[in-house]
Amino acid sequence: MNIAIMQPYLFPHIGYFQLMHACDEFLVYDDVAFIPRGYIHRNNVLLGGKAHRFTLSVPKASPNRLISELVFGPTPDSLLTTLHHAYAKAPYYAQVMPLLQAVFQHEDRRIGALCKYSFERVCDYLGLECRFLLTSELEHDRSLKAQDRLIEMSLMRGAEGYINSIGGRKLYQAAPFAANGITLSFLASQPSDYCQTPLDSRRLGRQAEFVAGLSIIDMLMWCSPGEVRDRLAEYQLLPEDLELLRAAGNVAGDTAPVPGPLARDVSPHSQQGGHASCH
């Protein structure tokens, strides 16, 4: 079983959802410190051809408090109005907007719980199977250092593989995971561009320049569930130390990178600028 453990984020970018695609169980890491300048309570959507920041308030937010101790404030009507103006002409607005409304108006305003609910709703919409748990609701040793804590939770859940985003390569090493029978790997996201141009503009021969790195909301609005699932598979799983994994018997031969059981090997591509193909 593969597991991922990540802090909760409000409708994060596709790379976060690719972790769900690559794992069997996803732990929402909500019993760690809140990061005020992070993406726990905000993200970007496409408005007027540019990235536009939206934010959900977190009363009494502080880096000295755990995420699990904080709640989202009420969702302002202006946020839903912004989403309407941004995507009313997108092809999947009618299917996705009710999902967003249900999440933003969810009665459980705890950050971890609301984000977990959003992940479940998106995965249900896409037909993606993944189990979600809040780490604040699990019994584990919270006094351990970061890496040791991840290893302990992985062992508790019976995981054989731990998958982190590629940024975690600077933080975690394979040896302690391998010593506990866990393969450590990092997900390198390589999603292809997609069309962000309304049909009426396309009919006039206009095509917008692609804007990358937005909330998953943007992809859900412009792409069918099948198209989103295709892009969820566009990543590679890379080992922290290939030679160490070979020595431990977890990797055979000379192949690198190491695809996960659900991953597709894809070629790198530019994530910035250009025009996605619109049909």
Side-chain angles (χ1 to χ4, degrees), residues 91-231:
Y92 296 94
Y93 173 87
Q95 295 94 320
V96 175
M97 193 62 188
L99 184 158
L100 301 182
Q101 291 172 327
V103 170
F104 281 118
Q105 296 170 350
H106 189 48
E107 61 182 3
D108 192 341
R109 307 304 292 179
R110 291 178 300 157
I111 290 176
L114 189 144
C115 288
K116 174 176 173 285
Y117 178 67
S118 74
F119 303 154
E120 292 169 340
R121 288 297 302 263
V122 171
C123 286
D124 285 345
Y125 173 72
L126 297 176
L128 181 66
E129 294 186 6
C130 185
R131 294 186 299 274
F132 296 92
L133 296 169
L134 299 176
T135 59
S136 61
E137 296 178 352
L138 298 177
E139 292 295 331
H140 62 283
D141 188 352
R142 294 174 173 83
S143 67
L144 294 174
K145 294 182 179 180
Q147 181 169 265
D148 293 336
R149 193 173 170 190
L150 297 177
I151 292 172
E152 184 196 40
M153 287 190 287
S154 297
L155 290 172
M156 287 176 54
R157 301 305 303 168
E160 298 171 346
Y162 174 74
I163 304 173
N164 204 293
S165 62
I166 194 68
R169 241 178 170 178
K170 302 175 182 178
L171 304 174
Y172 309 121
Q173 293 76 45
F177 284 87
N180 285 278
I182 302 170
T183 299
L184 172 65
S185 54
F186 298 95
L187 188 145
S189 178
Q190 301 167 335
S192 54
D193 299 349
Y194 52 91
C195 181
Q196 296 170 318
T197 306
L199 181 59
D200 55 357
S201 296
R202 281 183 267 160
R203 286 172 176 166
L204 296 173
R206 301 170 186 165
Q207 187 170 332
E209 183 174 340
F210 182 72
V211 179
L214 301 175
S215 162
I216 192 69
I217 291 173
D218 188 76
M219 186 178 292
L220 295 175
M221 288 290 191
W222 294 110
C223 301
S224 71
E227 291 170 329
V228 176
R229 286 196 301 272
D230 286 344
R231 286 170 174 82

